Amino acid sequence: MTITNRLKTGFATLLKIMSLVFYAWNDALSKQLTTHATHPISPLFVVFFQYAIAGLIIIPYLMRKQRSELPSAKVGMHHLLRALLCTIGIVILNQSFQVMPLSFAVGFNLFSPCLTILCAYFFFSEKLTKQKATGLLMSIIAYIIILDSRHHLATPISFQQCLMPTIAMLCFQCNTILTKQLSQKGESNINLTMSLFIAIPLLLLPLCFGSSWPTIQPSQCIILTQMALNGLLATYTLHLAIASVDLTFLLPFGFLKYSIIALFGYLYFHEIPNNAHSIGIAITLVTIIFINYKQPVQTKQRAVI
């Protein structure tokens, strides 16, 4: 592997981890607003206000852009579909935080590894190397252990409740595929980010008008603004990572979010993973080390031969 490729994959790894930290932080803040506040806010309005505030933040930048720099009509349907998938996924995921610990809500990702591998192969002709396959296998084993640990909770989680975050994660995976397609068509990361933060609150607005609007406390406004900033940073860094490397290279790093969200769950709500969950997290961390260490060594050996 050349120095340039090493820097590229290393930079993509850093960006992916940064996005996971910001996303996990937002998950904790969302649960705080919906379940641990004196005046809880419904998940629908948490998502709406977060993205509406972020949209207001980026509008001045949007107004300074030239018309030629904005997304073209040719890819308009891709952007709309991305926004729909993200809207559905985010609302469902935030609703799941009300009935289960944060790490479990993020962990119930039943089919996304297979979905990402298949789509990366059919849509982008990305090869699945032995290293990627081994890393994915380790990640799936970690997931199965985490899934089984749900039976050891004080209040067991039903399979129907598990489906909520699972559907959300599938929406996010489909969005990742569309984002990769747009990146390959030359769409800028700025446009990929702005389109979501403008479209999502507009899509949620009809649902909000059909519901009772909550009274937002000043402290909750601060939290929502923090979530808006976190969301902007997380989305932009994720888009940069997706555009830089193969999708299957980034997939195992998604499992690192289990570890990060478990940390935020402890810091905010004193949620402590049980033994089985901790083993799954440990395997996840080993997977991350394996992916980062083995690939340059194997590539280098092939180059020498």
Side-chain angles (χ1 to χ4, degrees):
M1 178 179 286
T2 64
I3 295 178
T4 301
N5 287 336
R6 287 186 182 183
L7 291 174
K8 188 176 181 180
T9 55
F11 184 60
T13 300
L14 177 62
L15 291 172
K16 178 69 174 182
I17 294 175
M18 286 176 58
S19 71
L20 294 179
V21 171
F22 286 119
Y23 279 131
W25 190 3
N26 268 7
D27 292 342
L29 293 175
S30 174
K31 183 167 185 175
Q32 184 180 34
L33 290 173
T34 57
T35 62
H36 288 69
T38 306
H39 302 283
I41 306 173
S42 70
L44 172 65
F45 282 99
V46 169
V47 176
F48 172 76
F49 285 124
Q50 173 195 341
Y51 280 82
I53 293 172
L56 292 175
I57 292 174
I58 63 176
I59 280 178
Y61 176 81
L62 181 64
M63 295 177 65
R64 290 199 300 267
K65 291 178 69 71
Q66 300 293 327
R67 185 180 181 86
S68 59
E69 297 176 319
L70 298 175
S72 65
K74 294 180 180 179
V75 294
M77 288 303 298
H78 282 75
H79 283 290
L80 179 59
L81 185 55
R82 287 178 64 240
L84 284 171
L85 289 168
C86 284
T87 301
I88 296 171
I90 294 168
V91 172
I92 293 177
L93 182 62
N94 280 264
Q95 288 176 338
S96 69
F97 294 152
Q98 296 179 305
V99 298
M100 63 184 71
L102 286 175
S103 57
F104 282 84
V106 174
F108 291 123
N109 188 354
L110 295 173
F111 307 114
S112 64
C114 295
L115 179 66
T116 301
I117 293 171
L118 292 173
C119 290
Y121 175 77
F122 286 110
F123 288 99
F124 309 112
S125 300
E126 294 183 4
K127 295 181 179 180
L128 181 61
T129 63
K130 290 183 179 180
Q131 180 189 352
K132 291 179 182 178
T134 304
L136 289 173
L137 179 61
M138 294 171 65
S139 299
I140 293 172
I141 291 173
Y143 168 73
I144 293 173
I145 295 174
I146 293 172
L147 178 64
D148 181 69
S149 67
R150 69 187 176 91
H151 298 294
H152 305 290
L153 293 173
T155 303
I157 303 171
S158 68
F159 180 74
Q160 289 77 11
Q161 290 173 326
C162 297
L163 287 178
M164 292 172 58
T166 299
I167 294 172
M169 293 299 173
L170 287 174
C171 290
F172 296 147
Q173 289 297 320
C174 293
N175 167 65
T176 300
I177 300 301
L178 290 171
T179 300
K180 183 70 174 180
Q181 287 182 326
L182 287 170
S183 296
Q184 291 185 338
K185 292 181 179 180
E187 189 65 276
S188 69
N189 295 309
I190 291 292
N191 284 344
L192 290 170
T193 303
M194 289 194 305
S195 61
L196 286 181
F197 286 89
I198 296 297
I200 288 178
L202 294 177
L203 291 172
L204 288 175
L205 195 57
L207 296 176
C208 292
F209 278 129
S211 306
S212 178
W213 286 69
T215 301
I216 307 297
Q217 305 296 322
S219 59
Q220 292 174 324
C221 288
I222 295 175
I223 295 176
L224 288 168
T225 303
Q226 180 65 61
M227 291 178 67
L229 294 172
N230 289 350
L232 283 170
L233 291 172
T235 306
Y236 182 68
T237 53
L238 179 61
H239 289 161
L240 284 175
I242 291 173
S244 301
V245 294
D246 290 351
L247 288 180
T248 48
F249 176 83
L250 290 174
L251 180 58
F253 294 91
F255 289 84
L256 180 61
K257 189 174 183 180
Y258 301 157
S259 309
I260 299 172
I261 199 66
L263 174 62
F264 277 100
Y266 174 76
L267 293 176
Y268 276 83
F269 312 110
H270 303 291
E271 297 174 352
I272 301 177
N274 53 42
N275 292 335
H277 201 122
S278 299
I279 293 173
I281 289 174
I283 295 175
T284 301
L285 294 176
V286 171
T287 303
I288 301 302
I289 297 172
F290 173 79
I291 291 293
N292 275 289
Y293 177 75
K294 281 288 185 179
Q295 184 171 357
V297 174
Q298 291 180 350
T299 307
K300 184 177 180 180
Q301 288 175 345
R302 287 196 298 267
V304 172
I305 293 174

